[in-house]
Amino acid sequence: MPEFPVTQLRSMFPALRDEFIFFDNAAGAQSPATVLDAVAYHLRYRNVQRGGRYRQSQEVDEAIASARSSVALLVNARYPEEICFGMNATSFMRLISLAVGQSLQDRREIIVTDLDHEANIAVWLALEREGAKIVWWHFRDDGRLYPEDLEKLLSARTRIVACTLASNAIGSILDVANVSRLAHAAGAEVFIDAVHYGPHAPIDVQAFGCDYLICSGYKIFSPHMGFMWGRRETLDALPTFREEFVPDTTPAKLEIGTYIYENVAGMDAAVRYLEDLGRLIDPKVSSRRAAIVASTEAIRDYESQLSCAMLDVLTKVGATVYGITAKELISHRTPTLCFNLHAISPAKVTEALAAQNIGVRDGHMYSPRLMKRLGLAQESGAVRASLVHYNTLEEVRRFGSALAEMTHH
């Protein structure tokens, strides 16, 4: 297998050109120059509203249609209309939870997990006011959710299972296809938060078998925006708020108000960046989707090397790492590691790293329930270093040296 072209890729990201080591990608990744150019082009030449009869307005319509087709390929949707654009992932979560809350009927149980980002918990807890009953699917001590534990919770009363594809705090990846199989057998729907998973591996909604999937574009190298995939028949059946002249079909019924068109143009360019990477890795790919799969599979393989290297340096300094630490299970995690150093507070660790031009994050990572299960105080939490495919083994080595310096004092 050819070596992953990380040096070549890094040159495409303007933000990576100085000595700054950016290990805070789970909060939002950097964008390649082609994405920045797409945003600037949109603002320069077609910064107008959709739906007009003049050329610039029609170009906005075309840009959004192009982005919809690209994102449909990214997630392997059956139809571009299954892709909806908006402000962020949380607003789509709330939109769907409101619609589900209006259609509970005899199925009043909603299954949520304590591995999730709080956004994918809070929007469902809010439905208790509508008479919903929340059922907790707990992760095990190894930091993973097990579908066999879910099986015991499912019943004829289950309306929907809301779960993450990968933990934004500790990186554990869930076997979603199995979750969908079990939930559908019980007559329930499956709602997937793929925000953290998005930049790390191939997304395939048809293979996942889920009913809804939410992503943040800005975690996948685009500017700030969110998108949702949903099965067309499911989205069309949802009761949603809309102005009466808006069609009661996807995507129009779910794209509430004006969103940021230039960032959607940036998302289109981000998908094309992944395609270009796929063609670089395998020049023989036959289609856009095949190129996306080639790049995201290569990213997953390269990132498993980064994960192993990170575990090595953290073990060396005696850090407590939360979640999966066994090398043979590395394919079940992303290169996002939450850890603590003995007797040094998370805030002190991140401040010391920042002084060495290394960006990581400390706190509860918007997953306070997960922190509580780990026995950590919500206020201090843990340190999180989150890597993506443009990070390097050399950066990991420098990160390890900075930690070693800290622990030797």
Side-chain angles (χ1 to χ4, degrees):
M1 191 178 145
E3 198 177 327
F4 191 75
V6 66
T7 309
Q8 192 176 341
L9 295 177
R10 284 178 70 80
S11 68
M12 300 176 189
F13 288 80
L16 304 178
R17 285 187 187 157
D18 59 13
E19 287 301 295
F20 179 46
I21 294 178
F22 186 63
F23 281 4
D24 193 24
N25 293 284
Q30 300 300 329
S31 296
T34 49
V35 168
L36 306 178
D37 291 346
V39 174
Y41 182 88
H42 188 101
L43 288 170
R44 262 195 201 110
Y45 300 111
R46 49 174 187 236
N47 190 20
V48 298
Q49 184 54 279
R50 295 158 76 184
R53 298 190 195 279
Y54 54 95
R55 177 179 57 80
Q56 292 86 342
S57 180
Q58 289 173 354
E59 283 178 1
V60 178
D61 290 330
E62 286 161 17
I64 290 165
S66 171
R68 212 181 295 286
S69 296
S70 289
V71 174
L73 289 169
L74 177 69
V75 305
N76 200 27
R78 290 175 306 160
Y79 312 104
E81 301 78 42
E82 294 182 324
I83 303 298
C84 310
F85 293 130
M87 299 305 288
N88 50 44
T90 307
S91 54
F92 276 124
M93 289 171 177
R94 185 59 178 139
L95 188 65
I96 298 302
S97 80
L98 285 168
V100 167
Q102 290 169 31
S103 53
L104 289 170
Q105 292 159 335
D106 297 337
R107 291 181 172 267
R108 301 208 154 259
E109 292 185 0
I110 293 170
I111 297 177
V112 297
T113 93
D114 52 2
L115 189 72
D116 271 77
H117 187 291
E118 189 65 18
N120 199 28
I121 298 171
V123 298
W124 305 106
L125 291 182
L127 297 186
E128 287 180 311
R129 297 194 289 268
E130 316 285 331
K133 178 173 181 272
I134 302 298
V135 177
W136 287 94
W137 175 16
H138 296 290
F139 66 87
R140 293 193 195 174
D141 291 343
D142 62 358
R144 296 171 67 191
L145 288 165
Y146 284 79
E148 52 266 41
D149 296 342
L150 169 68
E151 199 165 10
K152 302 182 188 99
L153 306 174
L154 290 161
S155 74
R157 297 180 299 280
T158 310
R159 171 69 177 83
I160 198 162
V161 178
C163 57
T164 189
L165 195 39
S167 164
N168 70 298
I170 59 174
S172 311
I173 296 171
L174 176 61
D175 173 6
V176 168
N178 215 354
V179 170
S180 298
R181 190 177 55 75
L182 293 168
H184 290 158
E189 289 182 334
V190 175
F191 180 97
I192 297 296
D193 170 1
V195 171
H196 180 65
Y197 179 91
H200 298 295
I203 303 174
D204 187 340
V205 293
Q206 295 189 55
F208 293 163
C210 51
D211 301 284
Y212 312 90
L213 181 136
I214 310 282
C215 267
S216 293
Y218 68 96
K219 308 292 168 78
I220 318 177
F221 322 112
S222 95
H224 280 258
M225 54 83 75
F227 64 85
M228 175 176 77
W229 166 85
R231 210 178 292 285
R232 188 161 74 176
E233 304 80 356
T234 309
L235 296 181
D236 285 351
L238 281 179
T240 56
F241 152 82
R242 64 189 176 83
E243 293 138 323
E244 63 175 27
F245 50 80
V246 172
D248 194 20
T249 51
T250 183
K253 68 183 283 187
L254 294 144
E255 294 184 338
I256 295 171
T258 300
Y259 46 88
I260 305 172
Y261 303 145
E262 62 269 25
N263 289 2
V264 171
M267 185 67 226
D268 190 4
V271 176
R272 291 173 193 277
Y273 159 76
L274 290 171
E275 279 176 57
D276 291 344
L277 169 55
R279 292 195 174 88
L280 189 64
I281 283 158
D282 180 3
K284 299 190 296 294
V285 289
S286 55
S287 67
R288 292 185 68 194
R289 172 66 188 169
I292 292 165
V293 171
S295 72
T296 47
E297 285 180 345
I299 283 170
R300 179 174 59 193
D301 294 345
Y302 172 67
E303 286 185 354
S304 67
Q305 294 175 47
L306 294 177
S307 294
C308 288
M310 285 293 283
L311 286 168
D312 285 343
V313 301
L314 289 167
T315 302
K316 211 168 177 180
V317 297
T320 301
V321 179
Y322 306 102
I324 293 165
T325 54
K327 296 274 181 77
E328 64 274 15
L329 294 175
I330 213 79
S331 64
H332 296 287
R333 66 141 49 250
T334 66
T336 295
L337 297 99
C338 261
F339 66 93
N340 274 314
L341 295 181
H342 179 64
I344 311 177
S345 76
K348 285 271 187 297
V349 175
T350 56
E351 281 166 13
L353 289 169
Q356 298 223 31
N357 218 5
I358 300 171
V360 298
R361 185 168 291 265
D362 63 276
H364 55 62
M365 309 308 151
Y366 299 90
S367 300
R369 296 162 203 274
L370 181 149
M371 295 295 161
K372 192 177 176 186
R373 282 283 310 280
L374 297 176
L376 301 173
Q378 183 176 316
E379 301 70 43
S380 51
V383 182
R384 181 182 69 186
S386 50
L387 285 66
V388 292
H389 71 279
Y390 50 58
N391 291 120
T392 67
L393 292 166
E394 172 58 20
E395 287 181 320
V396 174
R397 190 193 61 71
R398 282 170 54 198
F399 169 76
S401 300
L403 290 180
E405 209 174 292
M406 221 179 292
T407 51
H408 288 149
H409 282 175

